Amino acid sequence: SRKSLLPTKLQQLPFPTPQERLALFNRIDPNGNGILSLAELDKAVLELWPQLDNKPAIMRAYKAADKSGNGWIGKREFKFFLKYIVAYNELWNSFSNIDTSDDRRITKAELLDHGPVPGIDDPAKAFDEMDTNKGGFVLFN
């Protein structure tokens, strides 16, 4: 069994107030252009929350928070990024615990061998539903 990548109290981290979020956004936005790139967010996560520095989770949080679809995270979208980075890290932690081959994909055998997974009553059926291209594995998407 793998050790969790996340602290056990991660969900209990205090969420910043709007004023704190603005100050944090401005700190992460060194050029002051009012938008954050993936590189700026990646650097901030590494420096401010190293326990959340999982590239697949950062990428998914970034894409999910980009509500406008313009490839940047604005001040209004930043609150979503902060929520999503925690949620996607929790998902990544679960995914990587099942991925015993460390190849960043899960096979049906890995899922079935893992044992009970919260929220999945029938792992074989769930895998077949996730494996839409019938490639024999699912990725962290």
Side-chain angles (χ1 to χ4, degrees):
S1 170
R2 293 182 183 188
K3 185 171 180 155
S4 174
L5 301 174
L6 300 175
T8 56
K9 298 196 179 209
L10 187 58
Q11 288 185 315
Q12 298 172 6
L13 290 176
F15 194 73
T17 66
Q19 296 80 13
E20 292 168 334
R21 274 197 316 269
L22 180 59
L24 186 57
F25 183 95
N26 290 335
R27 178 179 173 189
I28 295 171
D29 183 22
N31 57 11
N33 64 356
I35 53 176
L36 300 175
S37 68
L38 176 59
E40 288 169 326
L41 288 166
D42 186 51
K43 182 179 183 217
V45 169
L46 179 61
E47 292 174 2
L48 300 172
W49 311 287
Q51 74 273 27
L52 299 176
D53 187 32
N54 297 304
K55 302 308 181 207
I58 293 170
M59 176 60 78
R60 296 325 175 276
Y62 175 76
K63 287 182 176 185
D66 181 17
K67 302 292 185 188
S68 67
N70 66 0
W72 306 96
I73 301 300
K75 290 177 182 174
R76 290 185 180 188
E77 296 167 319
F78 184 56
K79 68 181 174 185
F80 296 108
F81 177 79
L82 294 175
K83 290 181 180 184
Y84 293 152
I85 191 63
V86 172
Y88 279 105
N89 262 279
E90 290 171 352
L91 290 171
W92 173 250
N93 188 49
S94 295
F95 185 93
S96 64
N97 281 332
I98 296 169
D99 176 24
T100 56
S101 61
D102 290 325
D103 60 359
R104 294 190 172 196
R105 56 189 190 175
I106 294 175
T107 64
K108 191 174 201 174
E110 285 174 319
L111 183 60
L112 297 175
D113 290 346
H114 179 71
V117 177
I120 298 179
D121 296 326
D122 184 347
K125 181 179 177 186
F127 183 88
D128 291 340
E129 289 172 1
M130 290 184 289
D131 185 18
T132 56
N133 69 355
K134 305 302 177 209
F137 58 86
V138 293
L139 304 174
F140 184 74
N141 287 331

